[in-house]
Amino acid sequence: MRTDHGAAPLAWNRVHRYRQRVLDIERGLDSLPDSAGSVLPRGFGHSYGDSCLNAGNTLLDTRGLNRVLSFDAHTGVLHCEAGVTIGEVQRHATPHGWRLAVSPSTGLASVAGCVAHDAHGRNHPRAGSFGHHLLEIELLRGDGPHRCGPDTDAPLFRATIGGLGLTGLITTATLQLRRVQSSFLQVETHAHTDLPGLLDHLDTTAGRAEHATAWLDMTDRQKFRGLLELGDEGPGERSLPPQGPRPRVPFDLPRWCVNRPAAQAFNRTWFRFGARKQPGPVDYRTYLYQMDSLGDWNRLLGRRGFYQYHFLLPAAAVRTGLPRLLDAVRRSDNLVVLAILKRYGPATAPGMMSFPFHGLGGAFDFVNRGGRTLRLFHELDVLLAELGGRVYLAKDSALDPDRFRLMYPQWTAFSEFVDPRFSSSLWRRVTGEHR
Ligand SMILES: Cc1cc2nc3c(=O)[nH]c(=O)nc-3n(C[C@H](O)[C@H](O)[C@H](O)COP(=O)(O)OP(=O)(O)OC[C@H]3O[C@@H](n4cnc5c(N)ncnc54)[C@H](O)[C@@H]3O)c2cc1C
């Protein structure tokens, strides 16, 4: 029933290499397994930073909890085990005219992982975050099983949404899906050559188009290149042919390949290709999960791994704050290979520690240049905290306790719900606790 895995589990950014004990969790468990030290649930390790790691302690691997338990094609209510992937939920429901209301940009994350980070998609202004569509969860804590929802043990429910896996092991989740016409979205792309123009366009479409993301070329200091991609539900077939095996990156790219000229060439090609794209229907798998089409793409960024800086600025601070953040990145001489901006709507967050609030967010992938990159992140964290912003803990690897307290002042109230048997590398880092 339980296994110690040999290989060290990594986070998606492949930076942290820790010794951890791994126990496979199987269905039917009614008490937590014994362990020396703390435990942390883990899904597919698709969090970029150390929120899915528990250095020197135990990970509870939930990938075996992989069954959809029931689905009502009339109401769109789906009940599943914690380790079912987002992609599996979509495959199950789409032929019946339902899809997840909110999805991250990967179909390879687990449902429980998306609860634990209260994941958001490109449609936050319209649909809110993952927790807004969660009806119930079953949770295993040190004192036994709990069932909670918006009207049943609501404080524990709110703490578990965005609760970083620290309030207990989610064993099942019940989700309300949303009606869709087909498996296709109508997608259009607009090219921009200045940042204010791109932001204006993003502002006017936020809430009108279902999905919106902006892409920036951060490799060129002279010339601005941006693309705004909009997607709306569209007509078409519901059933899609199954996807064949996807190509995988078989090894870590050597360090000398991951450099500025290569990143510039990639970004310029991406811009040229995007600027010429004609509007048209795109199947939801290609549109929502573009990055999944190349397996293990994170190995392209070299053996030292990479960092993502995922931030959110309050709406009132965007026009003054964003240029300051971008300027700090450019001055630092770090290399950003991919940069995305998204709008976040004013909906009240469903979880105590949820990331989203009303504003504009950015997710920038940095090549790992060690101390130089971490020094920049510290500078950005200081500036972001001053502007009233925060970083997304699913992607973080560098936030210090002082900035954490400023960005997530609700953490003390949240820590009342942390189960004493649970901890993570991220939690010890941001709270400064050593448990
Ligand atoms: C290519 C890519 C694109 C992404 N795009 C987005 C995006 O658009 N929006 C977004 O919000 N996120 C995005 N993410 C982040 C991802 O959605 C989250 O990190 C998600 O939590 C990953 O799920 P996982 O199953 O891999 O969980 P893991 O990374 O293994 O764990 C994440 C957290 O969930 C907890 N957890 C896992 N299982 C359980 C359980 N059974 N019970 C309790 N806690 C549990 C863990 O303890 C940990 O704190 C993206 C990630 C990738 C790799």
Side-chain angles (χ1 to χ4, degrees):
M1 164 169 169
R2 297 169 193 172
T3 320
D4 282 86
H5 295 281
L10 300 172
W12 187 248
N13 71 4
R14 302 174 63 82
V15 171
H16 317 277
R17 289 167 194 265
Y18 300 140
R19 277 183 160 281
Q20 295 157 99
R21 184 168 176 239
V22 183
L23 299 180
D24 284 336
I25 294 296
E26 289 175 9
R27 55 187 64 96
L29 209 64
D30 56 10
S31 64
L32 290 172
D34 294 333
S35 70
S38 62
V39 297
L40 179 75
R42 173 161 162 124
F44 288 83
H46 273 52
S47 297
Y48 281 58
D50 54 0
S51 71
C52 61
L53 301 176
N54 198 11
N57 290 281
T58 300
L59 292 172
L60 305 177
D61 188 330
T62 59
R63 288 175 297 176
L65 304 180
N66 58 3
R67 286 189 314 192
V68 172
L69 299 171
S70 69
F71 174 59
D72 184 331
H74 296 291
T75 60
V77 173
L78 182 136
H79 181 46
C80 66
E81 293 178 332
V84 167
T85 63
I86 293 299
E88 182 55 30
V89 172
Q90 307 284 41
R91 274 190 293 281
H92 203 92
T94 307
H96 302 282
W98 296 92
R99 218 166 27 246
L100 282 162
V102 169
S103 170
S105 301
T106 177
L108 304 172
S110 67
V111 165
C114 290
V115 174
H117 278 307
D118 191 20
H120 57 273
R122 306 165 188 190
N123 58 349
H124 188 269
R126 279 270 192 102
S129 53
F130 204 79
H132 281 116
H133 309 277
L134 186 63
L135 302 176
E136 191 173 79
I137 44 177
E138 288 178 299
L139 197 62
L140 188 58
R141 288 170 58 89
D143 62 1
H146 291 247
R147 182 186 292 268
C148 54
D151 304 315
T152 318
D153 205 348
L156 181 60
F157 185 65
R158 272 182 47 74
T160 301
I161 297 173
L164 306 167
L166 299 169
T167 63
L169 173 77
I170 300 168
T171 51
T172 71
T174 309
L175 298 162
Q176 176 63 61
L177 308 188
R178 59 167 283 200
R179 268 250 176 249
V180 290
Q181 292 178 49
S182 79
S183 292
F184 289 83
L185 292 106
Q186 190 64 27
V187 179
E188 56 186 59
T189 308
H190 303 266
H192 284 271
T193 50
D194 66 287
L195 180 63
L198 177 66
L199 293 180
D200 287 344
H201 199 168
L202 192 55
D203 271 346
T204 52
T205 49
R208 274 208 284 125
E210 168 74 23
H211 302 269
T213 34
W215 168 92
L216 308 181
D217 178 358
M218 290 286 291
T219 62
D220 192 330
R221 294 195 181 88
Q222 317 299 330
K223 203 168 172 191
F224 181 89
R225 293 184 194 86
L227 296 169
L228 178 66
E229 194 177 66
L230 306 173
D232 271 311
E233 295 302 329
E237 291 294 312
R238 282 186 184 165
S239 297
L240 291 172
Q243 283 172 313
R246 55 194 183 131
R248 308 193 86 83
V249 178
F251 54 83
D252 299 334
L253 219 60
R255 205 163 148 189
W256 54 265
C257 291
V258 189
N259 54 33
R260 190 169 291 277
Q264 281 178 333
F266 166 75
N267 275 266
R268 282 173 196 175
T269 309
W270 192 264
F271 179 76
R272 270 201 299 277
F273 174 71
R276 285 198 209 126
K277 259 192 206 164
Q278 295 301 313
V282 177
D283 95 59
Y284 80 89
R285 300 174 303 196
T286 311
Y287 177 69
L288 293 178
Y289 310 126
Q290 207 166 32
M291 317 271 282
D292 293 346
S293 58
L294 182 60
D296 296 332
W297 62 259
N298 50 353
R299 305 188 78 172
L300 290 174
L301 289 148
R303 191 174 186 283
R304 291 184 79 194
F306 69 109
Y307 289 106
Q308 185 172 102
Y309 194 77
H310 193 142
F311 62 91
L312 176 52
L313 281 166
V318 172
R319 297 293 171 139
T320 50
L322 184 62
R324 288 175 70 191
L325 287 171
L326 298 183
D327 191 46
V329 173
R330 290 200 180 101
R331 270 189 291 105
S332 76
D333 202 28
N334 271 284
L335 180 57
V336 176
V337 289
L338 187 66
I340 300 292
L341 298 176
K342 289 192 246 195
R343 283 263 168 229
Y344 294 75
T348 306
M352 286 179 83
M353 292 290 283
S354 291
F355 168 68
F357 58 68
H358 188 201
L360 180 95
F364 293 1
D365 287 348
F366 285 81
V367 171
N368 177 10
R369 292 198 165 150
R372 199 193 311 177
T373 312
L374 295 176
R375 277 192 296 282
L376 168 67
F377 283 11
H378 181 68
E379 185 185 341
L380 296 176
D381 288 346
V382 170
L383 180 55
L384 194 60
E386 185 192 307
L387 294 163
R390 62 167 59 135
V391 295
Y392 186 18
L393 297 173
K395 311 290 184 73
D396 179 60
S397 288
L399 191 64
D400 67 21
D402 289 342
R403 254 49 58 180
F404 172 66
R405 291 188 171 105
L406 291 170
M407 293 180 184
Y408 289 90
Q410 67 276 37
W411 79 278
T412 40
F414 166 73
S415 57
E416 301 290 314
F417 293 91
V418 173
D419 189 298
R421 293 245 0 238
F422 288 64
S423 185
S424 69
S425 294
L426 174 132
W427 192 241
R428 291 188 289 276
R429 172 167 58 80
V430 296
T431 58
E433 288 173 9
H434 298 290
R435 189 174 54 78

